[in-house]
Amino acid sequence: MATATTLRDRVGGFVLAHRVGHFLTGEYADLRRLVASMNARPSRDSFGLRSLLRAMERDIDTRSGLAALFVRLGRLLNPRAKRRLLRNLIYNWAAIGARRRNELAAVGNWVPSFVVMSPTMRCNLKCTGCYAGLYSKKGELSEAEIRRVLDECRSVGAYFVVVSGGEPYLLKDMWLRLFRDYDDMYFLTYTNGTLLDQKTVDALARLGNVAPGISVEGYREATDARRGAGVYEKVLEATRRLREAGVLFGVSVTYTRQNIPEVTSEAFVRHWVDQGAIFAWYFMFMPVGKDPLLELVPTPEQRVFCGERIAALRRSHPIFLADFWNDGPASAGCLAARTYLHVLNSGQIEPCVFAHFGIDNIREKSLVEAVNSPFFKAIRREFPYNAKGNLRRPCMIVDNPKVLRKVVAEHFVPSGHAHSEDVISDPSVVSWLDDYAVRLAELVDPVWEAQIADPTDRWYSQGQEYKNLFRFQPKAGREPRT
């Protein structure tokens, strides 16, 4: 099957994966040799990959951080999973793919780094407050349509694809074919875990290029309360199978006003480390859909606390922890329309899985056309959404709600489902969001102002990286504003 990588790149990736896999034994001495071997390579690799190597070299001495995480990878993953992680995600996506994406951006074709796909919105569970619960369950992307999207992802260097929904493993036979046929790509699947039976896990173990992210809300009581009786036990059964098969997996945690103490505790993180989880994604409960459950959204104070706790846990545990709202400074801000996009079961293309608005459809437009559409360009022109470029309040839905209202109104963007427009038009919801944004700014603006005033900080206001935050704006507005 056609791919954008050259023969040299493919051979290079294959050789690198085998060489690196040989060193990824779970021993710190071998990890040190691996870093030395990678640093001896010609400096063609991306800035991101070089930064990763520097961080790992630093952490080996303290046996913490990235070094501790990669030692766990060496001990837990089967050989195929190690090779696919290194070749597909680190080499193809983070190195070769990044060069391809930068080449396209340099000639005016902005492209996503990765794509989220929700080919079906059907699910075998009905979870309270599901962000996707109001999408139509009718219609699905065909296998041919998915292949066309994956082919385009390859062609632009986006070798990383997230599969969401709906429950992806309702279509497990199709997806197992696709994972096999696109064996130079890496896939993250968001799943409730209940369909990861032994046969499916064995297939994932043989493939090595798929990482399930299993949704939990806490321990048994909290998870079963939202997802249904017995779900937590099925999740534990699935994680046991994945661990024993050497498959890379993690958990996806929705934090609410009610469960933050539990899901940010040392015991909770240690529990999932012991279960074999390599990563944990933390998502704040979002007020989307009809009659959004505003009482479940963490208060601004709780959100700040959650970010501080996750940062502390990340330093002390060998697991990759990411908080998609509080880690804005790490990701250089909101990813919507800039780093990724969301393809629905209807083919509609949205800027974000939580911003349920879209104009273009993959049945009519390519991904590159969609991400360079007036609507997506308008979102990027608003980036980083506030005058200080405060990445500690990165979201255009809850942190800077006027941005989402503005771009949707200017471009007459259709809603993705009934009541998705409530987040921008329901007076009570709009008022609540505006109040939330004001209070969050009061809490985090002083922290950000101190950060950008520090010459040693990544986001120092006189540094090029900070100035680059404003690169999408009209020329007169590119300089940092005060």
Side-chain angles (χ1 to χ4, degrees), residues 232-250:
Y232 186 74
E233 190 61 37
K234 291 180 180 179
V235 166
L236 291 182
E237 291 171 2
T239 59
R240 175 188 56 77
R241 295 185 191 108
L242 292 164
R243 181 179 66 250
E244 291 175 353
V247 176
L248 194 159
F249 76 93

Side-chain angles (χ1 to χ4, degrees), residues 115 117 145-153 343 362 367:
V115 169
M117 302 182 68
E145 289 170 330
I146 296 171
R147 287 179 182 274
R148 192 169 70 246
V149 171
L150 296 179
D151 287 341
E152 186 176 1
C153 288
V343 180
I362 62 162
L367 296 179

Side-chain angles (χ1 to χ4, degrees), residues 185-297:
M185 300 181 73
Y186 204 84
F187 298 87
L188 166 65
T189 59
Y190 283 117
T191 172
N192 58 47
T194 61
L195 301 181
L196 292 174
D197 55 24
Q198 192 63 55
K199 181 179 179 182
T200 303
V201 169
D202 288 344
L204 295 178
R206 289 190 297 270
L207 289 163
N209 63 335
V210 187
I214 303 176
S215 298
V216 296
E217 268 65 52
Y219 295 113
R220 186 183 314 275
E221 182 179 358
T223 297
D224 284 1
R226 187 181 184 206
R227 298 184 175 273
V231 169
Y232 186 74
E233 190 61 37
K234 291 180 180 179
V235 166
L236 291 182
E237 291 171 2
T239 59
R240 175 188 56 77
R241 295 185 191 108
L242 292 164
R243 181 179 66 250
E244 291 175 353
V247 176
L248 194 159
F249 76 93
V251 292
S252 172
V253 183
T254 300
Y255 62 91
T256 71
R257 195 171 300 187
Q258 300 170 353
N259 71 349
I260 286 177
E262 182 172 300
V263 300
T264 61
S265 68
E266 293 272 354
F268 181 79
V269 173
R270 175 51 57 184
H271 168 74
W272 288 110
V273 169
D274 292 343
Q275 296 302 312
I278 297 297
F279 61 85
W281 307 138
Y282 281 77
F283 292 93
M284 185 173 74
F285 182 87
M286 290 292 282
V288 296
K290 184 177 186 297
D291 300 323
L293 300 172
L294 301 177
E295 67 275 11
L296 286 182
V297 181

Side-chain angles (χ1 to χ4, degrees), residues 55-95:
M56 196 179 304
E57 190 171 32
R58 176 197 66 216
D59 291 344
I60 288 173
D61 292 332
T62 59
R63 299 197 168 195
S64 63
L66 277 173
L69 177 61
F70 269 75
V71 163
R72 281 191 73 225
L73 286 170
R75 293 172 180 171
L76 293 178
L77 301 190
N78 69 49
R80 177 62 64 88
K82 293 179 191 179
R83 291 195 297 269
R84 295 300 190 202
L85 172 69
L86 297 164
R87 192 191 81 175
N88 297 10
L89 189 63
I90 294 179
Y91 188 75
N92 287 354
W93 180 64

